Amino acid sequence: MTNPVAKMINSPKWLDRILYPFAHHTLQLPDGQMHYVDEGEGEPIVIVHGTPTWSFLWRQQLKPLSRTHRCIAPDHLGFGLSDKPADFAYTPEAHADNLERLIEHLQLKNITLVVHDFGGPIGLRYALKHPENVKRLVILNTWMWSLEEEQQMMKVSKFLSGGIGKFLYLRLGFSPRLLLPKGYHQRKYLTKDVHQHYLKPLSSAKSRLGTWEFAKALHQSNPYFDELWQQREKIRNIPKLILWGEKDSLLPINFLNRWQETYPEAKVLKMNAGHFLQEEKGSEVTDAIKQFI
């Protein structure tokens, strides 16, 4: 199932194999080697993370869901256990191309596509291009439209694109150190051990390039986001489940309203959690996905 030319990767010493017991799979892409989880058998569930996370974020969902389904959770280039090439574009569009390559490589059919954070504009492009191959959509705290109107986000993103932002992201590890904890409503779920699993893959300046590029993409990728939004009718007939952490301090609640107004037929479940509801409401998120499927 894995690409024969891709080298096998060993588990890094810091990886807790009780928390993350999954086998390592890799796919050699034009710009580097992508790591992914491929567990279980049956109909495929493709799970797409955002920033500064990786497939580790979904560990509480992967274990139970893989008992009845084939669960595929990639780490985007620049994140998790994937390569972190210096010369990759790191735009949502480039990540979307890589995701499409993985899906085609694994020849997945009738996919349940699960997206979160930047995984939305990355994963949903696949659904817009191949609606006939996406059986269901599960949407968690994400977006698929231009953020131009979000003045605060635009201001922050433009500021972070400059020299200070580059220093904060690349030198100080701003994203996993400071932004990630802000994404939790209840910090008790971000134990020291769990936090290490988000810090370790991004432990050097050159490994943090992907996180900085996402900070810039909030304003630089608006034309791409808008292009996705213009095609939103293409996925209208795909059944949708929207799971939303209502205490999200990273994305505004009006994002949920927009999803609901656009797809009033979608099933919506709000949770008393922050941006990373997979961590705070692990079993509830899993149960909701199970019932939906």
Side-chain angles (χ1 to χ4, degrees):
M1 271 195 313
T2 43
N3 191 338
V5 298
K7 61 184 186 290
M8 278 311 292
I9 71 157
N10 296 317
S11 285
K13 286 192 173 64
W14 51 260
L15 186 63
D16 184 333
R17 300 301 277 153
I18 294 169
L19 282 179
Y20 188 89
F22 316 114
H24 301 297
H25 297 268
T26 53
L27 172 65
Q28 189 60 47
L29 296 164
D31 293 287
Q33 186 171 260
M34 175 190 261
H35 170 269
Y36 64 96
V37 169
D38 187 347
E39 296 278 316
E41 287 171 22
E43 240 182 43
I45 303 175
V46 176
I47 300 175
V48 193
H49 73 85
T51 185
T53 58
W54 54 293
S55 52
F56 179 81
L57 172 68
W58 301 95
R59 65 197 179 281
Q60 296 183 61
Q61 288 75 46
L62 287 164
K63 290 175 195 176
L65 290 173
S66 64
R67 289 183 199 124
T68 51
H69 288 74
R70 181 181 177 187
C71 293
I72 294 99
D75 297 345
H76 304 306
L77 289 188
F79 293 84
L81 304 181
S82 289
D83 283 350
K84 299 170 179 70
D87 48 2
F88 176 58
Y90 289 112
T91 59
E93 206 163 351
H95 288 300
D97 289 341
N98 288 341
L99 178 70
E100 190 168 355
R101 286 185 183 104
L102 177 68
I103 291 171
E104 282 173 5
H105 168 70
L106 296 174
Q107 299 179 328
L108 305 175
K109 298 282 175 267
N110 296 323
I111 296 164
T112 295
L113 186 62
V114 184
V115 298
H116 174 251
D117 187 82
F118 262 98
I122 292 169
L124 293 170
R125 199 205 47 190
Y126 182 85
L128 293 164
K129 276 180 83 171
H130 308 280
E132 74 294 336
N133 198 33
V134 178
K135 195 170 178 181
R136 302 175 197 88
L137 285 172
V138 182
I139 294 166
L140 300 86
N141 294 57
T142 186
W143 73 96
M144 187 184 74
W145 50 79
S146 167
L147 304 172
E148 206 62 61
E149 291 169 15
E150 300 294 332
Q151 291 173 346
Q152 188 57 28
M153 283 176 99
M154 290 305 92
K155 211 167 129 182
V156 171
S157 175
K158 284 169 186 171
F159 169 74
L160 292 173
S161 301
I164 298 173
K166 187 176 185 180
F167 180 79
L168 288 172
Y169 270 78
L170 302 190
R171 295 285 159 202
L172 303 182
F174 182 73
S175 192
R177 283 187 195 286
L178 295 157
L179 276 187
L180 180 96
K182 265 184 76 92
Y184 284 72
H185 174 51
Q186 291 187 292
R187 291 279 173 95
K188 67 177 182 187
Y189 291 103
L190 184 61
T191 62
K192 196 175 175 190
D193 189 26
V194 166
H195 201 179
Q196 284 303 308
H197 283 77
Y198 292 119
L199 292 167
K200 289 288 185 185
L202 305 169
S203 57
S204 67
K206 62 174 187 280
S207 69
R208 297 172 185 149
L209 204 53
T211 64
W212 185 46
E213 291 299 334
F214 271 151
K216 296 193 285 183
L218 289 170
H219 81 277
Q220 290 178 354
S221 294
N222 277 328
Y224 167 73
F225 299 150
D226 189 52
E227 198 182 306
L228 299 178
W229 193 238
Q230 297 310 322
Q231 304 173 68
R232 61 191 178 275
E233 282 306 312
K234 292 181 182 174
I235 57 172
R236 174 157 313 275
N237 296 328
I238 302 174
K240 294 169 197 69
L241 169 66
I242 299 172
L243 301 175
W244 209 267
E246 286 190 288
K247 306 291 186 188
D248 191 338
S249 60
L250 301 177
L251 296 183
I253 194 73
N254 66 350
F255 282 21
L256 170 60
N257 303 337
R258 188 154 185 180
W259 283 118
Q260 288 183 282
E261 283 160 18
T262 308
Y263 302 114
E265 65 287 350
K267 185 177 191 299
V268 177
L269 204 59
K270 300 174 193 173
M271 296 185 182
N272 183 34
H275 186 66
F276 299 110
L277 57 165
Q278 307 92 318
E279 291 272 13
E280 293 188 60
K281 298 285 179 188
S283 56
E284 287 176 46
V285 167
T286 306
D287 291 346
I289 295 172
K290 268 188 187 165
Q291 283 171 13
F292 178 59
I293 290 173

